Amino acid sequence: GGDGRGTVPAGAKAECPAVAAPGDGGRSRQLRGMWIATVAGIDWPKDTADPAAKQREQFTRLLDTATAMNMNAVFVQIRPNSDAFYPSPYEPWSQWITGTQGKDPGYDVLAFMIKEAHARNLEFHAWYNPYRVSRQADLKKLSPKSPARQHPDWVRKYGTGLWYDPGIPQVRDLATRAVMDVVGKYDIDAVHFDDYFYPYPEGGEFPDQATYKAHGGGMDKGDWRRKNVDTLVQTLSGKIHDAKPWVRFGISPFGVWRNASTDPRGSDTRALQSYDDIYADTRTWIKKGWVDYITPQLYWPIGDPRADYAELAGWWADQVKGTGVQLTIGQGAYRVGKDAAWKDPAELSKHLTLNARHPKIRGDVFFSASDIVSNRRGFAARLRDDHYPRPAI
């Protein structure tokens, strides 16, 4: 009854004593998920002009695809641009539902999504972008209810878009409030961040000189930026677990922490480094136990000269050893068929075969749902036949 917690009397006997409980090894327990991106109609809703009923029907079709693939989790973007897929006291309704930021779609989108996911035994990971404000650079195009409009001093133009400055304490407070509002009101299974922290370099430095002067306290600027992100991650982790200990907090970072040429603890790669380029010290979050799971985005093929999938899978498996952090791998389904290395429809199936050599790898998440649906070159059917013939817990 109720939430299913605490209702079994102490000392109760197992219902099926002859059947051993499923172990924690092999394929009986494995996270299998896909990202459902809402920004710019990547996965859902495909068309903001569609009536709500049609949008809802499209969403349940994506969930049915996950079920048909024997998946058990969806990672759904519910706060892509300081906006909301639910009635929020802090931020406007997302433009990616109706086409207009601040316009009420007429139903609680998040409540609907969670209900449909749970009806299919799919975990619901609520995916947030902590610092992104807009893909375009004009503040005036945002809803008057947007915190970015009300506090333009929190906002920085960089590249083609608008970003909150992660060094401003009020920005961290807003991201924390946005997350905790949902943790308190909805039956989500996890809070999820992707790889966007400080923006990826786009020519020129992120314009946070004034913030650094006000809050830097004489620290090295890179260390200070990393500390700003660390503070948000650590604070949120504590608040989520205090509120609901069973809700997990996970992050899906860029797949390279640092290259070994920069830091001997890094991977044998020659790629962008999240530590140095976007100020995301992903390895520290694991070592400090601030995340419950980590899902590095290993969107390279086996044998890639800059970032070999095989090298990185092993490197990340080593990082979680001796910690309680669960490792799953972000897989680039969107890349299938895109270039020579990805012409082989079995490439992703080979990744999962390789993962089996690393017992610390506990599953995979695919970017993104539309690619799983399209099943280009039969890659998704191949994954299901080779690796997901039966459901997993």
Side-chain angles (χ1 to χ4, degrees):
D3 61 359
R5 286 192 167 72
T7 51
V8 178
K13 299 281 187 285
E15 286 178 27
C16 311
V19 181
D24 196 32
R27 296 179 182 184
S28 58
R29 281 184 191 272
Q30 190 182 53
L31 184 104
R32 304 167 177 177
M34 65 185 191
W35 277 285
I36 299 178
T38 58
V39 70
I42 291 175
D43 292 310
W44 183 83
K46 283 291 188 196
D47 190 343
T48 55
D50 280 342
K54 186 173 177 192
Q55 287 185 349
R56 286 198 291 266
E57 198 248 333
Q58 288 169 347
F59 187 80
T60 57
R61 276 215 301 273
L62 291 179
L63 298 184
D64 289 339
T65 297
T67 302
M69 283 286 295
N70 280 326
M71 288 179 171
N72 52 25
V74 287
F75 295 66
V76 185
Q77 194 174 30
I78 66 163
R79 187 210 190 230
N81 293 111
S82 188
D83 54 10
F85 272 62
Y86 52 92
S88 166
Y90 308 115
E91 293 174 308
W93 281 100
S94 177
Q95 78 180 83
W96 305 115
I97 311 168
T98 61
T100 306
Q101 191 176 58
K103 184 178 176 188
D104 187 336
Y107 69 107
D108 184 336
V109 184
L110 179 57
F112 155 76
M113 295 193 295
I114 294 170
K115 180 169 177 271
E116 293 295 332
H118 284 169
R120 291 163 179 77
N121 285 320
L122 296 165
E123 281 188 358
F124 191 97
H125 294 237
W127 166 17
Y128 294 78
N129 293 92
Y131 304 119
R132 280 201 321 213
V133 175
S134 168
R135 290 160 67 96
Q136 55 83 36
D138 184 359
L139 261 178
K140 290 195 278 299
K141 288 189 176 159
L142 303 178
S143 158
K145 289 195 180 120
S146 168
R149 282 283 296 273
Q150 294 161 359
H151 305 279
D153 52 313
W154 297 356
V155 181
R156 307 284 174 258
K157 284 185 186 179
Y158 187 72
T160 55
L162 299 172
W163 297 79
Y164 287 128
D165 185 335
I168 295 176
Q170 292 91 328
V171 164
R172 290 196 291 273
D173 292 345
L174 173 65
T176 304
R177 279 204 310 273
V179 169
M180 295 313 298
D181 178 46
V182 166
V183 170
K185 289 177 183 167
Y186 296 88
D187 185 22
I188 61 172
D189 299 292
V191 169
H192 183 79
F193 284 177
D194 64 15
D195 54 322
Y196 284 93
F197 293 98
Y198 277 82
Y200 280 89
E202 281 192 64
E205 196 176 359
F206 185 71
D208 61 351
Q209 293 79 355
T211 316
Y212 175 55
K213 225 168 123 175
H215 298 284
M219 284 181 80
D220 167 83
K221 192 185 246 183
D223 290 341
W224 170 75
R225 285 175 173 163
R226 279 182 287 273
K227 181 169 157 276
N228 295 329
V229 178
D230 286 352
T231 300
L232 177 66
V233 170
Q234 182 183 12
T235 304
L236 256 181
S237 179
K239 284 187 184 295
I240 291 165
H241 296 122
D242 285 349
K244 287 186 178 175
W246 63 90
V247 171
R248 289 177 302 149
F249 179 38
I251 295 180
S252 175
F254 180 75
V256 174
W257 171 70
R258 296 186 100 181
N259 300 317
S261 56
T262 308
D263 185 325
R265 299 170 299 174
S267 49
D268 181 14
T269 46
R270 285 148 291 284
L272 179 135
Q273 307 172 102
S274 71
Y275 180 98
D276 304 86
D277 295 309
I278 56 178
Y279 307 95
D281 186 2
T282 52
R283 184 176 179 274
T284 289
W285 306 339
I286 294 170
K287 301 299 181 192
K288 300 263 192 194
W290 293 341
V291 288
D292 297 298
Y293 69 82
I294 195 98
T295 310
Q297 297 174 17
L298 303 191
Y299 296 165
W300 298 278
I302 295 168
D304 187 286
R306 294 152 305 136
D308 175 3
Y309 179 87
E311 157 67 15
L312 283 163
W315 185 87
W316 284 98
D318 286 343
Q319 304 317 304
V320 301
K321 278 181 185 146
T323 74
V325 178
Q326 184 191 61
L327 172 63
T328 50
I329 305 295
Q331 301 284 0
Y334 70 99
R335 303 195 66 169
V336 172
K338 288 288 197 296
D339 59 41
W342 288 97
K343 287 287 188 268
D344 180 358
E347 177 67 31
L348 287 177
S349 181
K350 288 174 182 169
H351 290 198
L352 271 62
T353 300
L354 186 149
N355 289 358
R357 301 209 296 257
H358 300 287
K360 285 287 174 199
I361 298 178
R362 303 312 310 275
D364 300 86
V365 187
F366 296 86
F367 190 87
S368 67
S370 297
D371 301 288
I372 296 291
V373 169
S374 76
N375 188 27
R376 270 190 312 284
R377 297 172 171 248
F379 86 92
R382 179 89 181 237
L383 280 167
R384 190 190 57 227
D385 295 347
D386 292 354
H387 299 281
Y388 298 166
R390 284 182 298 282
I393 300 170

